[in-house]
Amino acid sequence: MWRFPMMLLAVSLVACGAPTIDASDAETMEFSVAEVKNSLDPELRPAFDSAMTVVAMSGLDAGELFGRAFAAAFGEEEEAGEINAMSGLAGSVMTEVDGLTGMQVIQRSDSILLQAAEERLTSLQEQIEESRAAVAEEEAEAEMLAGLVLDNPRVQVDRGGFMSTARVVLQATNNLDKTVESFFLSIEIRSPEREVPWEDEDDVYVGIDGGLEPGESRELFGYLESKWTRLELPGGTEQEATVTRIGFADDTSVGSMSMMGFGSSSAAEELAELEGRLSQVQEELARRRALER
């Protein structure tokens, strides 16, 4: 018969008369949370529900919670004895909201979300600086790759003998100030009016006996995969070869390979994506700051 009066006392009144959450135990907390929510204007109640989740989750230590779950699952004991994993969650909830009014819960949630947005903004700004450096490096590499000029690429197929072979033959000119020892290229054959090429291949290796000295131009070739030997092309096709990686005689290199078809996005694409995310976070941050009460 005393339970209901005692619960009413649990909903304490602060100086302004707003009830606060009493998290002294789970039952009392459940009752006081309902009273606190009902004390708010109806339009604030959905915000209060969301804020309760944000505030409660902000007090969780993921590592500690995992440790407790592991201990409970394997029957191990912590220093304070066996603790069910969910008790850590409930305890965090009760600690974070104890003694708060409804508006204070909402205000704390806004502060937590604002801080999270500021941290995301800082992290993105750091990533963007790194990405811009990568873009500058890519541009420098592209400029160097362009110094090895490939002209008149053409696919030659030899169907005689025991095994058919295919190779790309081209004229390579070294406009760089370093001797080129080898390079990789990508090649494709397409018709001008068609969107999809007839055939293509990445990471075609071209070795250069004696190297290609600065200013030198030579006819070179690289072997292609066997699929090219079965290719029957119509007239009017165009063949394009692009240098993707250069190995120099001093054991340095520039460019990259396609990782056997698992190519990654360019630094410029990653930078554009990061800048788009930065814009979204900045908008969110401005909105969060405007909501500070």
Side-chain angles (χ1 to χ4, degrees):
M1 61 182 293
W2 289 99
R3 175 179 297 179
F4 187 68
M6 290 300 292
M7 284 188 172
L8 288 178
L9 289 175
V11 185
S12 58
L13 300 178
V14 295
C16 64
T20 62
I21 297 171
D22 183 349
S24 55
D25 60 63
E27 187 176 10
T28 303
M29 177 176 167
E30 181 180 0
F31 179 81
S32 64
V33 166
E35 287 296 318
V36 167
K37 179 178 177 178
N38 290 334
S39 72
L40 295 170
D41 293 336
E43 62 270 17
L44 288 176
R45 291 171 188 171
F48 173 78
D49 289 335
S50 299
M52 281 289 293
T53 300
V54 171
V55 173
M57 295 299 291
S58 71
L60 290 180
D61 184 318
E64 179 183 359
L65 189 59
F66 176 80
R68 289 180 174 181
F70 185 89
F74 290 93
E76 298 179 3
E77 293 185 357
E78 296 186 347
E79 292 181 3
E82 291 188 355
I83 302 177
N84 184 278
M86 291 309 297
S87 70
L89 174 59
S92 295
V93 173
M94 297 170 73
T95 300
E96 294 300 321
V97 300
D98 188 33
L100 299 183
T101 67
M103 284 304 301
Q104 287 172 335
V105 171
I106 294 173
Q107 289 167 352
R108 182 170 295 187
S109 170
D110 289 345
S111 177
I112 291 168
L113 293 174
L114 176 61
Q115 181 180 352
E118 288 173 339
E119 290 173 354
R120 286 199 301 274
L121 179 65
T122 299
S123 175
L124 277 172
Q125 288 171 333
E126 292 173 352
Q127 292 179 59
I128 284 173
E129 287 304 310
E130 294 175 358
S131 185
R132 284 174 177 161
V135 168
E137 185 178 344
E138 266 192 3
E139 290 174 347
E141 284 191 349
E143 184 176 353
M144 184 167 284
L145 291 173
L148 181 60
V149 180
L150 307 182
D151 291 314
N152 193 27
R154 54 206 183 277
V155 174
Q156 295 180 347
V157 178
D158 181 5
R159 294 187 174 88
F162 176 74
M163 181 183 300
S164 298
T165 58
R167 64 181 189 171
V168 54
V169 181
L170 46 78
Q171 191 74 21
T173 302
N174 183 5
N175 291 331
L176 302 168
D177 58 2
K178 301 171 67 174
T179 300
V180 176
E181 189 173 50
S182 64
F183 62 92
F184 288 87
L185 62 83
S186 62
I187 182 172
E188 69 174 25
I189 298 181
R190 63 170 59 247
S191 296
E193 71 281 2
R194 302 182 71 89
E195 183 175 355
V196 179
W198 293 102
E199 191 57 87
D200 58 19
E201 185 177 340
D202 295 322
D203 303 329
V204 178
Y205 175 75
V206 180
I208 308 173
D209 294 338
L212 191 65
E213 299 291 331
E216 185 180 6
S217 180
R218 288 170 56 186
E219 185 175 82
L220 302 170
F221 70 88
Y223 284 104
L224 300 170
E225 295 176 358
S226 60
K227 62 182 180 180
W228 293 86
T229 64
R230 300 184 294 272
L231 190 63
E232 297 292 340
L233 294 174
T237 57
E238 298 175 349
Q239 303 178 37
E240 181 179 351
T242 305
V243 178
T244 56
R245 181 178 176 85
I246 300 174
F248 296 103
D250 60 3
D251 292 330
T252 62
S253 62
V254 64
S256 61
M257 297 173 62
S258 69
M259 298 175 65
M260 299 184 69
F262 297 96
S264 58
S265 58
S266 68
E269 292 171 333
E270 291 177 358
L271 177 59
E273 180 183 349
L274 286 171
E275 289 177 335
R277 287 165 56 191
L278 178 66
S279 177
Q280 294 174 351
V281 172
Q282 287 172 328
E283 291 175 2
E284 179 188 357
L285 191 55
R287 182 171 61 83
R288 293 289 176 197
R289 286 172 175 161
L291 287 175
E292 282 193 288
R293 296 175 173 85

